[in-house]
Amino acid sequence: MTTRRKFLIGAGAGIAALGSSRFGNAQDRVRSTTAIAGLQLIDEIVPPGAQPAGAPIVVSTWNHGQAANEAAWSILAQGGRALDAVETGVRVTEGDPKITSVGYGGWPDRDGHVTLDSCLMDEHGNAGAVAFLQDIKHPVSVARAVMEKTPHVMLAGAGAKQFAIEQGFPAEDLLTDGARREWEKWRKEKKYIPWSEQSNPANHDTISQLALDRHGNLSGACTTSGLAFKMHGRVGDSPIIGAALFVDNDIGAACATGVGEEVMKTVGSFLIVELMRQGLSPNDACREGVERIVSKNPQWRKMQVGYLALDRAGNVGSYALQPHFQVAVRDKKTNELRDVADRVAEKR
Ligand code: SD4
């Protein structure tokens, strides 16, 4: 099967982004141009079997993304599938009790319940998600089972838990002693400030991970315990396809971390992939996603949202509302944590 990317050129500043191609070598590439309604469309055709020069690669949000990347890399380096890589990767974060915003050890809601949200999406556009799931340590794997074993995209709450148990996932208490202590401390004051990163940096640590495998296929996953001490029943962006995660194998993938309400209202990850479809680089597309929040919400300085994008050539981009956002990148040459301090709306 032939894969095509269409670029709009001559459609205004910032739209043309032809310089970033990393598909194979030049001889592998065939380009044709067509003029339509004053815009020039360029088709970039990747022949069957061509491996993007930037592949394989895996990228994640935050510093704990490095451990998740390592696990994902062990699959990608052997020629494994991006979907398997991201599921394996974020399971590391879900299972780590020291990470207080994802899975086991996640800080609970106001009533002391750990409630989890997760989704994943593959190279065919298949998607699975769970929301408001309790007592199951690996929501990303339940999300995958929803995708592969049901005709649905999302299961929530008691139904999601029932499905997980039917699938053989063990039910267990996810509230660690440490998380309980934090909740008890919080209960003394009961100050409900769900979105101020300044007041509570531990509020923001959701892992979102994107991978491009050796076969040129993209997948992504996102998993979280959501905002600490949130209202019981609150669901954020993390299980919402198009908000916290979107993958289009012809174009690229994007994912989010931060205040989910802002990401949901602007359908952030879908927006970023669509902007890449129009020719924006992953960085510029993430910046536009952040600017959309700035233009809609005058309170944007009080909250954090970070976006991370990967195009199908293996180019990485990121942008955030505030400093303190980091992305972990792992490919053949790189294994590093990047500060996104310079690419933030606050510095405009
Ligand atoms: C949420 N987006 O539940 C998540 C929280 C988050 O880093 O990403 N924190 O809104």
Side-chain angles (χ1 to χ4, degrees), residues 62 117 203-206 224-227 234-238 256-261:
W62 303 112
D117 298 333
N203 255 350
H204 293 293
D205 269 341
T206 291
T224 190
S225 52
L227 299 181
R234 182 262 186 192
V235 170
D237 60 317
S238 303
T257 180
V259 177
E261 282 73 6

mmCIF file with all atom_site columns, all heavy atoms in Angstrom, residues 62 117 203-206 224-227 234-238 256-261, ligand 1:
data_model
loop_
_atom_site.group_PDB
_atom_site.id
_atom_site.type_symbol
_atom_site.label_atom_id
_atom_site.label_alt_id
_atom_site.label_comp_id
_atom_site.label_asym_id
_atom_site.label_entity_id
_atom_site.label_seq_id
_atom_site.pdbx_PDB_ins_code
_atom_site.Cartn_x
_atom_site.Cartn_y
_atom_site.Cartn_z
_atom_site.occupancy
_atom_site.B_iso_or_equiv
_atom_site.pdbx_formal_charge
_atom_site.auth_seq_id
_atom_site.auth_comp_id
_atom_site.auth_asym_id
_atom_site.auth_atom_id
_atom_site.pdbx_PDB_model_num
ATOM   1   N N   . TRP A 1 62  ? 6.904   14.215 30.575 1.00 0.00 ? 62  TRP A N   1
ATOM   2   C CA  . TRP A 1 62  ? 7.475   14.262 31.929 1.00 0.00 ? 62  TRP A CA  1
ATOM   3   C C   . TRP A 1 62  ? 8.690   13.349 32.105 1.00 0.00 ? 62  TRP A C   1
ATOM   4   O O   . TRP A 1 62  ? 8.974   12.497 31.268 1.00 0.00 ? 62  TRP A O   1
ATOM   5   C CB  . TRP A 1 62  ? 6.414   13.963 32.991 1.00 0.00 ? 62  TRP A CB  1
ATOM   6   C CG  . TRP A 1 62  ? 5.240   14.884 32.924 1.00 0.00 ? 62  TRP A CG  1
ATOM   7   C CD1 . TRP A 1 62  ? 3.960   14.555 32.568 1.00 0.00 ? 62  TRP A CD1 1
ATOM   8   C CD2 . TRP A 1 62  ? 5.232   16.297 33.191 1.00 0.00 ? 62  TRP A CD2 1
ATOM   9   N NE1 . TRP A 1 62  ? 3.162   15.669 32.623 1.00 0.00 ? 62  TRP A NE1 1
ATOM   10  C CE2 . TRP A 1 62  ? 3.900   16.740 33.001 1.00 0.00 ? 62  TRP A CE2 1
ATOM   11  C CE3 . TRP A 1 62  ? 6.200   17.226 33.586 1.00 0.00 ? 62  TRP A CE3 1
ATOM   12  C CZ2 . TRP A 1 62  ? 3.517   18.076 33.176 1.00 0.00 ? 62  TRP A CZ2 1
ATOM   13  C CZ3 . TRP A 1 62  ? 5.817   18.544 33.771 1.00 0.00 ? 62  TRP A CZ3 1
ATOM   14  C CH2 . TRP A 1 62  ? 4.491   18.959 33.570 1.00 0.00 ? 62  TRP A CH2 1
ATOM   15  N N   . ASP A 1 117 ? -8.176  7.042  34.394 1.00 0.00 ? 117 ASP A N   1
ATOM   16  C CA  . ASP A 1 117 ? -8.606  7.284  33.008 1.00 0.00 ? 117 ASP A CA  1
ATOM   17  C C   . ASP A 1 117 ? -7.466  6.881  32.070 1.00 0.00 ? 117 ASP A C   1
ATOM   18  O O   . ASP A 1 117 ? -6.305  7.188  32.349 1.00 0.00 ? 117 ASP A O   1
ATOM   19  C CB  . ASP A 1 117 ? -8.864  8.779  32.769 1.00 0.00 ? 117 ASP A CB  1
ATOM   20  C CG  . ASP A 1 117 ? -9.971  9.356  33.630 1.00 0.00 ? 117 ASP A CG  1
ATOM   21  O OD1 . ASP A 1 117 ? -10.883 8.603  34.027 1.00 0.00 ? 117 ASP A OD1 1
ATOM   22  O OD2 . ASP A 1 117 ? -9.934  10.576 33.892 1.00 0.00 ? 117 ASP A OD2 1
ATOM   23  N N   . ASN A 1 203 ? 0.118   17.859 40.820 1.00 0.00 ? 203 ASN A N   1
ATOM   24  C CA  . ASN A 1 203 ? -1.121  17.748 40.051 1.00 0.00 ? 203 ASN A CA  1
ATOM   25  C C   . ASN A 1 203 ? -0.885  17.345 38.604 1.00 0.00 ? 203 ASN A C   1
ATOM   26  O O   . ASN A 1 203 ? -1.801  16.940 37.913 1.00 0.00 ? 203 ASN A O   1
ATOM   27  C CB  . ASN A 1 203 ? -1.843  19.106 40.048 1.00 0.00 ? 203 ASN A CB  1
ATOM   28  C CG  . ASN A 1 203 ? -3.035  19.093 40.973 1.00 0.00 ? 203 ASN A CG  1
ATOM   29  O OD1 . ASN A 1 203 ? -3.416  18.043 41.467 1.00 0.00 ? 203 ASN A OD1 1
ATOM   30  N ND2 . ASN A 1 203 ? -3.615  20.242 41.193 1.00 0.00 ? 203 ASN A ND2 1
ATOM   31  N N   . HIS A 1 204 ? 0.330   17.548 38.110 1.00 0.00 ? 204 HIS A N   1
ATOM   32  C CA  . HIS A 1 204 ? 0.541   17.373 36.674 1.00 0.00 ? 204 HIS A CA  1
ATOM   33  C C   . HIS A 1 204 ? 1.651   16.393 36.379 1.00 0.00 ? 204 HIS A C   1
ATOM   34  O O   . HIS A 1 204 ? 2.826   16.733 36.447 1.00 0.00 ? 204 HIS A O   1
ATOM   35  C CB  . HIS A 1 204 ? 0.853   18.721 36.027 1.00 0.00 ? 204 HIS A CB  1
ATOM   36  C CG  . HIS A 1 204 ? -0.310  19.632 36.069 1.00 0.00 ? 204 HIS A CG  1
ATOM   37  N ND1 . HIS A 1 204 ? -1.455  19.382 35.360 1.00 0.00 ? 204 HIS A ND1 1
ATOM   38  C CD2 . HIS A 1 204 ? -0.529  20.744 36.776 1.00 0.00 ? 204 HIS A CD2 1
ATOM   39  C CE1 . HIS A 1 204 ? -2.325  20.337 35.617 1.00 0.00 ? 204 HIS A CE1 1
ATOM   40  N NE2 . HIS A 1 204 ? -1.799  21.167 36.474 1.00 0.00 ? 204 HIS A NE2 1
ATOM   41  N N   . ASP A 1 205 ? 1.274   15.208 36.057 1.00 0.00 ? 205 ASP A N   1
ATOM   42  C CA  . ASP A 1 205 ? 2.273   14.193 35.753 1.00 0.00 ? 205 ASP A CA  1
ATOM   43  C C   . ASP A 1 205 ? 1.723   13.070 34.899 1.00 0.00 ? 205 ASP A C   1
ATOM   44  O O   . ASP A 1 205 ? 2.325   12.003 34.829 1.00 0.00 ? 205 ASP A O   1
ATOM   45  C CB  . ASP A 1 205 ? 2.786   13.562 37.061 1.00 0.00 ? 205 ASP A CB  1
ATOM   46  C CG  . ASP A 1 205 ? 3.999   14.307 37.580 1.00 0.00 ? 205 ASP A CG  1
ATOM   47  O OD1 . ASP A 1 205 ? 4.613   15.010 36.788 1.00 0.00 ? 205 ASP A OD1 1
ATOM   48  O OD2 . ASP A 1 205 ? 4.312   14.161 38.767 1.00 0.00 ? 205 ASP A OD2 1
ATOM   49  N N   . THR A 1 206 ? 0.596   13.296 34.286 1.00 0.00 ? 206 THR A N   1
ATOM   50  C CA  . THR A 1 206 ? 0.018   12.258 33.426 1.00 0.00 ? 206 THR A CA  1
ATOM   51  C C   . THR A 1 206 ? 1.028   11.804 32.394 1.00 0.00 ? 206 THR A C   1
ATOM   52  O O   . THR A 1 206 ? 1.721   12.629 31.803 1.00 0.00 ? 206 THR A O   1
ATOM   53  C CB  . THR A 1 206 ? -1.211  12.832 32.684 1.00 0.00 ? 206 THR A CB  1
ATOM   54  O OG1 . THR A 1 206 ? -2.229  13.051 33.635 1.00 0.00 ? 206 THR A OG1 1
ATOM   55  C CG2 . THR A 1 206 ? -1.706  11.900 31.599 1.00 0.00 ? 206 THR A CG2 1
ATOM   56  N N   . THR A 1 224 ? -3.720  8.030  33.500 1.00 0.00 ? 224 THR A N   1
ATOM   57  C CA  . THR A 1 224 ? -3.634  8.991  34.609 1.00 0.00 ? 224 THR A CA  1
ATOM   58  C C   . THR A 1 224 ? -4.588  8.633  35.740 1.00 0.00 ? 224 THR A C   1
ATOM   59  O O   . THR A 1 224 ? -5.569  7.909  35.523 1.00 0.00 ? 224 THR A O   1
ATOM   60  C CB  . THR A 1 224 ? -4.004  10.408 34.100 1.00 0.00 ? 224 THR A CB  1
ATOM   61  O OG1 . THR A 1 224 ? -3.689  11.371 35.102 1.00 0.00 ? 224 THR A OG1 1
ATOM   62  C CG2 . THR A 1 224 ? -5.477  10.528 33.777 1.00 0.00 ? 224 THR A CG2 1
ATOM   63  N N   . SER A 1 225 ? -4.270  9.170  36.928 1.00 0.00 ? 225 SER A N   1
ATOM   64  C CA  . SER A 1 225 ? -5.279  9.166  37.994 1.00 0.00 ? 225 SER A CA  1
ATOM   65  C C   . SER A 1 225 ? -5.979  10.522 38.032 1.00 0.00 ? 225 SER A C   1
ATOM   66  O O   . SER A 1 225 ? -6.754  10.796 38.935 1.00 0.00 ? 225 SER A O   1
ATOM   67  C CB  . SER A 1 225 ? -4.626  8.850  39.344 1.00 0.00 ? 225 SER A CB  1
ATOM   68  O OG  . SER A 1 225 ? -3.528  9.702  39.574 1.00 0.00 ? 225 SER A OG  1
ATOM   69  N N   . GLY A 1 226 ? -5.664  11.369 37.082 1.00 0.00 ? 226 GLY A N   1
ATOM   70  C CA  . GLY A 1 226 ? -6.369  12.654 36.950 1.00 0.00 ? 226 GLY A CA  1
ATOM   71  C C   . GLY A 1 226 ? -5.884  13.673 37.957 1.00 0.00 ? 226 GLY A C   1
ATOM   72  O O   . GLY A 1 226 ? -4.884  13.472 38.646 1.00 0.00 ? 226 GLY A O   1
ATOM   73  N N   . LEU A 1 227 ? -6.571  14.769 38.027 1.00 0.00 ? 227 LEU A N   1
ATOM   74  C CA  . LEU A 1 227 ? -6.166  15.830 38.950 1.00 0.00 ? 227 LEU A CA  1
ATOM   75  C C   . LEU A 1 227 ? -6.343  15.349 40.386 1.00 0.00 ? 227 LEU A C   1
ATOM   76  O O   . LEU A 1 227 ? -7.372  14.766 40.738 1.00 0.00 ? 227 LEU A O   1
ATOM   77  C CB  . LEU A 1 227 ? -7.015  17.082 38.719 1.00 0.00 ? 227 LEU A CB  1
ATOM   78  C CG  . LEU A 1 227 ? -6.906  17.704 37.324 1.00 0.00 ? 227 LEU A CG  1
ATOM   79  C CD1 . LEU A 1 227 ? -7.778  18.950 37.239 1.00 0.00 ? 227 LEU A CD1 1
ATOM   80  C CD2 . LEU A 1 227 ? -5.468  18.051 36.981 1.00 0.00 ? 227 LEU A CD2 1
ATOM   81  N N   . ARG A 1 234 ? -15.339 13.033 38.529 1.00 0.00 ? 234 ARG A N   1
ATOM   82  C CA  . ARG A 1 234 ? -14.745 13.875 37.493 1.00 0.00 ? 234 ARG A CA  1
ATOM   83  C C   . ARG A 1 234 ? -13.873 13.032 36.543 1.00 0.00 ? 234 ARG A C   1
ATOM   84  O O   . ARG A 1 234 ? -13.067 12.205 36.981 1.00 0.00 ? 234 ARG A O   1
ATOM   85  C CB  . ARG A 1 234 ? -13.898 14.963 38.151 1.00 0.00 ? 234 ARG A CB  1
ATOM   86  C CG  . ARG A 1 234 ? -13.246 15.942 37.167 1.00 0.00 ? 234 ARG A CG  1
ATOM   87  C CD  . ARG A 1 234 ? -11.813 15.561 36.885 1.00 0.00 ? 234 ARG A CD  1
ATOM   88  N NE  . ARG A 1 234 ? -11.121 16.545 36.057 1.00 0.00 ? 234 ARG A NE  1
ATOM   89  C CZ  . ARG A 1 234 ? -9.943  16.323 35.488 1.00 0.00 ? 234 ARG A CZ  1
ATOM   90  N NH1 . ARG A 1 234 ? -9.333  15.171 35.665 1.00 0.00 ? 234 ARG A NH1 1
ATOM   91  N NH2 . ARG A 1 234 ? -9.371  17.243 34.754 1.00 0.00 ? 234 ARG A NH2 1
ATOM   92  N N   . VAL A 1 235 ? -14.071 13.238 35.265 1.00 0.00 ? 235 VAL A N   1
ATOM   93  C CA  . VAL A 1 235 ? -13.248 12.577 34.248 1.00 0.00 ? 235 VAL A CA  1
ATOM   94  C C   . VAL A 1 235 ? -12.561 13.672 33.444 1.00 0.00 ? 235 VAL A C   1
ATOM   95  O O   . VAL A 1 235 ? -13.197 14.653 33.060 1.00 0.00 ? 235 VAL A O   1
ATOM   96  C CB  . VAL A 1 235 ? -14.118 11.684 33.333 1.00 0.00 ? 235 VAL A CB  1
ATOM   97  C CG1 . VAL A 1 235 ? -13.321 11.195 32.127 1.00 0.00 ? 235 VAL A CG1 1
ATOM   98  C CG2 . VAL A 1 235 ? -14.668 10.491 34.118 1.00 0.00 ? 235 VAL A CG2 1
ATOM   99  N N   . GLY A 1 236 ? -11.269 13.519 33.211 1.00 0.00 ? 236 GLY A N   1
ATOM   100 C CA  . GLY A 1 236 ? -10.526 14.531 32.452 1.00 0.00 ? 236 GLY A CA  1
ATOM   101 C C   . GLY A 1 236 ? -10.433 14.175 30.980 1.00 0.00 ? 236 GLY A C   1
ATOM   102 O O   . GLY A 1 236 ? -11.242 13.416 30.432 1.00 0.00 ? 236 GLY A O   1
ATOM   103 N N   . ASP A 1 237 ? -9.418  14.731 30.356 1.00 0.00 ? 237 ASP A N   1
ATOM   104 C CA  . ASP A 1 237 ? -9.214  14.516 28.920 1.00 0.00 ? 237 ASP A CA  1
ATOM   105 C C   . ASP A 1 237 ? -8.564  13.172 28.601 1.00 0.00 ? 237 ASP A C   1
ATOM   106 O O   . ASP A 1 237 ? -8.635  12.692 27.467 1.00 0.00 ? 237 ASP A O   1
ATOM   107 C CB  . ASP A 1 237 ? -8.308  15.616 28.365 1.00 0.00 ? 237 ASP A CB  1
ATOM   108 C CG  . ASP A 1 237 ? -6.937  15.613 29.065 1.00 0.00 ? 237 ASP A CG  1
ATOM   109 O OD1 . ASP A 1 237 ? -6.897  15.467 30.307 1.00 0.00 ? 237 ASP A OD1 1
ATOM   110 O OD2 . ASP A 1 237 ? -5.913  15.743 28.368 1.00 0.00 ? 237 ASP A OD2 1
ATOM   111 N N   . SER A 1 238 ? -7.914  12.570 29.612 1.00 0.00 ? 238 SER A N   1
ATOM   112 C CA  . SER A 1 238 ? -7.005  11.449 29.322 1.00 0.00 ? 238 SER A CA  1
ATOM   113 C C   . SER A 1 238 ? -7.648  10.233 28.661 1.00 0.00 ? 238 SER A C   1
ATOM   114 O O   . SER A 1 238 ? -6.957  9.499  27.954 1.00 0.00 ? 238 SER A O   1
ATOM   115 C CB  . SER A 1 238 ? -6.262  11.037 30.588 1.00 0.00 ? 238 SER A CB  1
ATOM   116 O OG  . SER A 1 238 ? -5.569  12.154 31.099 1.00 0.00 ? 238 SER A OG  1
ATOM   117 N N   . ALA A 1 256 ? -1.440  14.925 25.167 1.00 0.00 ? 256 ALA A N   1
ATOM   118 C CA  . ALA A 1 256 ? -1.526  16.065 26.075 1.00 0.00 ? 256 ALA A CA  1
ATOM   119 C C   . ALA A 1 256 ? -1.274  15.660 27.512 1.00 0.00 ? 256 ALA A C   1
ATOM   120 O O   . ALA A 1 256 ? -1.435  14.500 27.893 1.00 0.00 ? 256 ALA A O   1
ATOM   121 C CB  . ALA A 1 256 ? -2.920  16.681 25.968 1.00 0.00 ? 256 ALA A CB  1
ATOM   122 N N   . THR A 1 257 ? -0.930  16.664 28.307 1.00 0.00 ? 257 THR A N   1
ATOM   123 C CA  . THR A 1 257 ? -0.896  16.536 29.755 1.00 0.00 ? 257 THR A CA  1
ATOM   124 C C   . THR A 1 257 ? -1.317  17.893 30.317 1.00 0.00 ? 257 THR A C   1
ATOM   125 O O   . THR A 1 257 ? -1.189  18.905 29.642 1.00 0.00 ? 257 THR A O   1
ATOM   126 C CB  . THR A 1 257 ? 0.519   16.151 30.243 1.00 0.00 ? 257 THR A CB  1
ATOM   127 O OG1 . THR A 1 257 ? 0.499   16.050 31.671 1.00 0.00 ? 257 THR A OG1 1
ATOM   128 C CG2 . THR A 1 257 ? 1.560   17.171 29.835 1.00 0.00 ? 257 THR A CG2 1
ATOM   129 N N   . GLY A 1 258 ? -1.830  17.892 31.533 1.00 0.00 ? 258 GLY A N   1
ATOM   130 C CA  . GLY A 1 258 ? -2.231  19.160 32.127 1.00 0.00 ? 258 GLY A CA  1
ATOM   131 C C   . GLY A 1 258 ? -3.715  19.212 32.412 1.00 0.00 ? 258 GLY A C   1
ATOM   132 O O   . GLY A 1 258 ? -4.362  18.166 32.548 1.00 0.00 ? 258 GLY A O   1
ATOM   133 N N   . VAL A 1 259 ? -4.238  20.419 32.491 1.00 0.00 ? 259 VAL A N   1
ATOM   134 C CA  . VAL A 1 259 ? -5.637  20.594 32.892 1.00 0.00 ? 259 VAL A CA  1
ATOM   135 C C   . VAL A 1 259 ? -6.564  20.089 31.784 1.00 0.00 ? 259 VAL A C   1
ATOM   136 O O   . VAL A 1 259 ? -6.751  20.718 30.743 1.00 0.00 ? 259 VAL A O   1
ATOM   137 C CB  . VAL A 1 259 ? -5.926  22.075 33.200 1.00 0.00 ? 259 VAL A CB  1
ATOM   138 C CG1 . VAL A 1 259 ? -7.394  22.274 33.536 1.00 0.00 ? 259 VAL A CG1 1
ATOM   139 C CG2 . VAL A 1 259 ? -5.058  22.522 34.360 1.00 0.00 ? 259 VAL A CG2 1
ATOM   140 N N   . GLY A 1 260 ? -7.159  18.943 32.036 1.00 0.00 ? 260 GLY A N   1
ATOM   141 C CA  . GLY A 1 260 ? -7.920  18.253 31.005 1.00 0.00 ? 260 GLY A CA  1
ATOM   142 C C   . GLY A 1 260 ? -9.106  19.033 30.487 1.00 0.00 ? 260 GLY A C   1
ATOM   143 O O   . GLY A 1 260 ? -9.480  18.896 29.312 1.00 0.00 ? 260 GLY A O   1
ATOM   144 N N   . GLU A 1 261 ? -9.682  19.871 31.333 1.00 0.00 ? 261 GLU A N   1
ATOM   145 C CA  . GLU A 1 261 ? -10.856 20.632 30.896 1.00 0.00 ? 261 GLU A CA  1
ATOM   146 C C   . GLU A 1 261 ? -10.496 21.520 29.695 1.00 0.00 ? 261 GLU A C   1
ATOM   147 O O   . GLU A 1 261 ? -11.263 21.654 28.735 1.00 0.00 ? 261 GLU A O   1
ATOM   148 C CB  . GLU A 1 261 ? -11.383 21.489 32.062 1.00 0.00 ? 261 GLU A CB  1
ATOM   149 C CG  . GLU A 1 261 ? -12.207 20.722 33.103 1.00 0.00 ? 261 GLU A CG  1
ATOM   150 C CD  . GLU A 1 261 ? -11.381 19.792 34.007 1.00 0.00 ? 261 GLU A CD  1
ATOM   151 O OE1 . GLU A 1 261 ? -10.146 19.800 33.922 1.00 0.00 ? 261 GLU A OE1 1
ATOM   152 O OE2 . GLU A 1 261 ? -12.001 19.049 34.798 1.00 0.00 ? 261 GLU A OE2 1
HETATM 153 C C1  . SD4 B 2 .   ? -6.579  15.319 33.705 1.00 0.00 ? 1   SD4 B C1  1
HETATM 154 N N1  . SD4 B 2 .   ? -4.966  15.649 31.971 1.00 0.00 ? 1   SD4 B N1  1
HETATM 155 O O1  . SD4 B 2 .   ? -7.156  14.471 34.367 1.00 0.00 ? 1   SD4 B O1  1
HETATM 156 C C2  . SD4 B 2 .   ? -5.173  15.040 33.263 1.00 0.00 ? 1   SD4 B C2  1
HETATM 157 C C3  . SD4 B 2 .   ? -4.232  15.490 34.315 1.00 0.00 ? 1   SD4 B C3  1
HETATM 158 C C4  . SD4 B 2 .   ? -2.823  15.634 33.852 1.00 0.00 ? 1   SD4 B C4  1
HETATM 159 O O2  . SD4 B 2 .   ? -0.657  15.959 34.174 1.00 0.00 ? 1   SD4 B O2  1
HETATM 160 O O3  . SD4 B 2 .   ? -2.493  15.531 32.720 1.00 0.00 ? 1   SD4 B O3  1
HETATM 161 N N2  . SD4 B 2 .   ? -1.905  15.880 34.652 1.00 0.00 ? 1   SD4 B N2  1
HETATM 162 O O4  . SD4 B 2 .   ? -7.059  16.409 33.426 1.00 0.00 ? 1   SD4 B O4  1
#
